[in-house]
Amino acid sequence: MKTLGIFRHAKSDWNDARLRDFDRPLNARGRKGAAIMGLHIRDHAQNWSRILASPAVRVTQTLDLASEAAGAAPSITWDRRIYLASSATLIDVLREQDGDPASIMMVGHNPGLEDLIFDLVPDDGNSPLRDIVEEKLPTAAFAVLQLDIDSWDKVDMGCASLVHLQRPRDLDPDLGPNANF
């Protein structure tokens, strides 16, 4: 059994049209969401063996703020392939992990992370959390999957169950879709 954490970057700032997508920072709501989710991830009590993340600015800032709030200094492996990756690419990244860590947290972007959940968790009507993700995996959302595999090179479609999902708005209503920042 392996554990996969999925953490979507927090809300980004679209105010500077001159910035490349890769270089967009977090906005005020995103900074608050990243910090509150950092506390939640810490309190979820999972010790992540490895953290894999997109090097995009909004992801690096999300992890910096989440780590600071949690009082942690995790070791992070930055992988450019995670930036705007498809589910297939994300599965390839997971399959390539050496050393067979017990748990991996992947931090990146939609639609790839959302699609990864859809590909790994069967749509068999037995996952109310998957139904929530079908509505949307919002910014700064955190999900935990249990994979019925013995090694990461065995990651395949339908091998997981979604055992935890936390959205920022569930922790602070000011972080919901109708919040004014």
Side-chain angles (χ1 to χ4, degrees):
M1 188 71 66
K2 299 291 182 187
T3 303
L4 175 63
I6 294 176
F7 186 22
R8 185 175 173 205
H9 68 78
K11 194 79 169 161
S12 60
D13 190 342
W14 289 84
N15 288 334
D16 188 347
R18 296 169 299 161
L19 289 177
R20 296 180 313 150
D21 179 75
F22 187 87
D23 297 323
R24 279 189 293 116
L26 297 181
N27 65 16
R29 183 171 146 197
R31 290 188 297 275
K32 184 176 181 182
I36 200 166
M37 291 308 293
L39 292 171
H40 173 76
I41 292 168
R42 178 199 67 199
D43 294 344
H44 188 69
Q46 174 71 47
N47 186 11
W48 299 101
S49 306
R50 186 167 297 160
I51 299 175
L52 306 173
S54 160
V57 169
R58 58 192 179 273
V59 174
T60 63
Q61 289 182 336
T62 296
L63 283 168
D64 287 346
L65 291 163
S67 298
E68 181 181 326
S75 174
I76 300 165
T77 301
W78 305 102
D79 190 328
R80 180 114 181 161
R81 295 175 298 167
I82 297 172
Y83 173 65
L84 302 182
S86 67
S87 174
T89 298
L90 297 175
I91 288 172
D92 286 344
V93 169
L94 290 170
R95 285 179 180 157
E96 293 171 6
Q97 296 309 301
D98 59 356
D100 204 27
S103 62
I104 293 175
M105 183 191 302
M106 185 173 278
V107 189
H109 313 267
N110 262 0
L113 291 178
E114 190 173 275
D115 289 343
L116 181 63
I117 293 171
F118 296 149
D119 287 345
L120 296 181
V121 179
D123 186 11
D124 57 9
N126 292 326
S127 179
L129 295 178
R130 188 184 192 282
D131 295 340
I132 294 170
V133 175
E134 283 190 24
E135 292 173 25
K136 183 178 183 180
L137 183 69
T139 52
F142 171 66
V144 179
L145 288 71
Q146 291 293 322
L147 286 69
D148 190 17
I149 57 174
D150 294 326
S151 63
W152 289 101
D153 63 345
K154 303 289 190 237
V155 173
D156 207 357
M157 305 293 210
C159 73
S161 52
L162 181 56
V163 298
H164 179 78
L165 177 65
Q166 187 64 62
R167 302 172 297 185
R169 68 176 151 206
D170 299 328
L171 299 171
D172 182 343
D174 287 339
L175 295 171
N178 299 321
N180 293 320
F181 266 85

